[in-house]
Amino acid sequence: MSFNLGFIGGGNMSTAIFKGIQKNDNHPVSKIWVAGPHLNSLQHWKESGANVTTKNGELVNNCDVIFIGVKPGVLNEALMNCLDSLSVSGAKNVLFISMLVGINIEYLHKALKGLPVQSSVIRILPNTPMAVGAGSCLYTPDINVTQEQCTLFEKLLKGCGVCEKVSETLMDSLGILTGCGPAFMYIVIEALADGAVKQGVPRAIALRHAAQMMVGSGEMVLQTGKHPGTLKDEVCSPGGCTICGVTALENGKLRATIISAVEAAVLKGKEMGKK
């Protein structure tokens, strides 16, 4: 790929995507730029061979495809920062890929109007497991994005995990499930390991097998096509250990708690988009 790729914001999510791209050599690291307010926080990018800068405008000058990975509340500030060092003319076409929670494509176009470039926008909601090639990324393009650009985007992230085009109406709900879900699952993994530790199992091996069990369970759902309830029933022998454990989970309202967690995260995402 001959284009230059940029990241405005070098935080955890941008880093996860960067690592996923690096892991599979999907783009030359010498053609990757990142901009952030503090160079010391971008040191790991520099050590990997990426170009680093504190000037967002310098990044826009040099890049053709740009991920926007700042906090939603500082979007306008980050774009205004571009004007201080931007030297390109309005003839330049830039594909912006926004990972901002709650910020829709219409608002993004309004925010980008102040830049002297021709902008097209893809809105995405990725997750941190993309760093190890096992992520989930939803995306929706604006009407100006071509099929060629969608193909380029999918090719760029092909080594990061599953990448699926969806309607923007799903971004604030399904996107929250995939984006926030890893944190919920880390808590489940930790709790499972804690349960084993309570029974005398060393923590390191408990964590390792709890995590692998989570990976395997997900693969069973994906590869068999069976409903999770059916797969659960296949493990629960009558009067056995598993059904007793499932009963404890139901008594603890695990199912209702996880549903409430997704709902709370979705509502917060919508609230962030209104600010």
Side-chain angles (χ1 to χ4, degrees):
M1 296 185 185
S2 61
F3 63 89
N4 282 343
L5 176 66
F7 291 82
I8 296 178
N12 291 340
M13 196 61 256
S14 293
T15 299
I17 295 173
F18 173 57
K19 286 182 177 179
I21 292 172
Q22 268 192 301
K23 184 179 176 67
N24 293 275
D25 295 322
N26 284 353
H27 198 77
V29 70
S30 62
K31 289 183 173 293
I32 296 178
W33 287 70
V34 60
H38 307 292
L39 285 178
N40 61 337
S41 64
L42 303 176
Q43 189 61 30
H44 60 290
W45 292 74
K46 185 176 182 180
E47 291 173 354
S48 296
N51 305 281
V52 302
T53 179
T54 57
K55 299 178 179 179
N56 294 344
E58 182 181 4
L59 184 143
V60 176
N61 286 335
N62 285 282
C63 297
D64 311 289
V65 178
I66 299 173
F67 284 88
I68 304 176
V70 299
K71 301 286 187 183
V74 299
L75 171 62
N76 291 321
E77 179 185 344
L79 295 179
M80 286 298 293
N81 177 272
C82 290
L83 299 177
D84 296 336
S85 51
L86 193 59
S87 61
V88 296
S89 68
K92 180 175 182 178
N93 293 307
V94 179
L95 173 61
F96 288 96
I97 303 171
S98 169
M99 61 183 89
L100 277 62
V101 174
I103 304 298
N104 62 30
I105 289 175
E106 181 182 5
Y107 184 93
L108 287 164
H109 272 294
K110 289 178 181 177
L112 290 166
K113 271 187 177 179
L115 300 184
V117 297
Q118 299 296 316
S119 303
S120 51
V121 173
I122 293 177
R123 181 184 173 191
I124 71 171
L125 276 173
N127 63 16
T128 53
M130 292 176 72
V132 294
S136 174
C137 182
L138 306 177
Y139 79 95
T140 184
D142 71 16
I143 59 174
N144 300 316
V145 174
T146 64
Q147 182 56 49
E148 182 181 3
Q149 288 174 312
C150 288
T151 300
L152 179 147
F153 169 72
E154 291 188 6
K155 184 177 180 181
L156 184 65
L157 298 187
K158 70 178 181 179
C160 296
V162 176
C163 187
E164 185 171 350
K165 182 179 178 181
V166 299
S167 166
E168 189 171 21
T169 58
L170 292 176
M171 294 296 278
D172 290 331
S173 51
L174 181 60
I176 290 295
L177 166 64
T178 57
C180 300
F184 305 159
M185 292 303 99
Y186 297 146
I187 292 172
V188 172
I189 290 170
E190 183 183 31
L192 288 166
D194 283 346
V197 169
K198 186 178 180 181
Q199 301 304 314
V201 178
R203 182 166 297 279
I205 193 170
L207 280 170
R208 185 163 66 249
H209 284 276
Q212 180 57 45
M213 179 276 301
M214 184 75 77
V215 171
S217 299
E219 284 298 321
M220 284 289 286
V221 174
L222 293 173
Q223 292 189 30
T224 67
K226 293 181 180 180
H227 190 280
T230 300
L231 292 170
K232 178 262 296 177
D233 288 347
E234 290 175 357
V235 185
C236 293
S237 302
C241 303
T242 307
I243 193 61
C244 290
V246 168
T247 301
L249 292 176
E250 296 292 2
N251 288 338
K253 301 186 185 303
L254 175 70
R255 191 188 304 262
T257 300
I258 290 177
I259 291 172
S260 294
V262 174
E263 181 179 27
V266 169
L267 292 175
K268 180 60 177 179
K270 291 179 178 179
E271 178 187 325
M272 292 169 66
K274 293 177 181 178
K275 292 182 178 180

